[in-house]
Structures are given as structure tokens and as C-alpha cells.
Amino acid sequence: MTATGPAPHPTAPAGPPTGAALRAATLRRATLGLGIGTVGAAYLWHTNPHEPGHLLPGCPLRWATGLLCPLCGGTRLAYDLLHGDVVAAFHDNAALLVLGVPAAAYALGRWLTAGLRGRYYRLRLSSRAGAAVLGVAAVWMLVRNLVG
């Protein structure tokens, strides 16, 4: 104890981060994500997921049930996009290509822009938006499993 009161706990939060701290944290996270993404893309570039026998993650739902989940085909889609084959990427998972890739790019762009401006951005979906995403995913899963 000091004369003015108890000393602050060494792990107590110091308050909200400043703009400069948010910019630095955003740059660190973006650089780390870019590095990990580059390593993953380099591995995927040389590993064709259309051929069996490669060390690539499988879908647990497909493994357990034989059903295609809404994200099945995402690795093949990424491989085809890396090689510039948009038609094959569309065939791998049309909904993920048409809806998921732009949505992810938008959310990542908003986060990066806000962070580099020293502002905090958190993606928040309303209950309606969340229900719409789940509804589209459920319909896409049904369609791709029933149609084949």
C-alpha cells in the first residue's frame, strides 16, 4: 500500500487502446495473417486437392455422414482460384464463391481500414442477418446434397 491508496494490479487493463496502439496491433495482425496465408497458399499451389493422397484437412461432417456441408469444396475452390480457374472454382462451391468470398473480403477490408485509421471495428450481425446467413447455408446444403 502506498500513501495514496493501494497500488494498481500489474495486469489490470490500462483503459481503451489509443489510435496508435490500434494501428500497430492491426499492422501486426495483418502481417501475421498475410504471412500465414502466404505459407498456406504456397503449400496449396503445389498440392492439388482434386487428387487423393495429399495432406489436406477433410470435412468432418462429410467424413461422418457423407453429406456435403455448405463449406465443402472450399479447399478445391481456393486451389482453383490460385490457378486462375474461376469456372472450376464455381463448380467446387458456387455459393461460397459468389457470396462468401465477397463477404469475407468486405469484412476484412472494413477491419483493416478501421484499424489503420486507429479505430476499432467489430463485425456484428443483427439477428435477421444471422438468420439469413444460416438460412442460405441450410438451403445451399440441401440443394447441393439433393441435386448432386
Side-chain angles (χ1 to χ4, degrees):
M1 261 233 220
T2 63
T4 59
H9 192 272
T11 59
T18 64
L22 276 172
R23 278 190 289 279
T26 299
L27 281 174
R28 279 192 310 273
R29 291 176 183 148
T31 303
L32 180 64
L34 184 62
I36 291 170
T38 300
V39 169
Y43 177 75
L44 189 57
W45 176 269
H46 299 289
T47 308
N48 187 348
H50 296 283
E51 299 171 356
H54 295 290
L55 182 62
L56 291 169
C59 176
L61 181 70
R62 188 164 188 193
W63 173 81
T65 66
L67 296 174
L68 296 170
C69 81
L71 299 177
C72 277
T75 304
R76 293 187 308 272
L77 179 138
Y79 174 85
D80 290 335
L81 287 179
L82 281 171
H83 288 86
D85 193 350
V86 178
V87 174
F90 185 83
H91 182 267
D92 293 330
N93 192 327
L96 189 58
L97 179 65
V98 173
L99 300 173
V101 171
Y106 172 78
L108 183 63
R110 287 285 309 263
W111 169 78
L112 188 58
T113 302
L116 292 177
R117 290 181 176 167
R119 298 186 181 120
Y120 184 72
Y121 175 75
R122 177 184 296 201
L123 177 65
R124 293 186 182 162
L125 291 178
S126 67
S127 58
R128 276 189 176 169
V133 168
L134 288 176
V136 167
V139 168
W140 175 238
M141 184 175 168
L142 283 172
V143 166
R144 69 190 310 210
N145 283 295
L146 292 176
V147 174

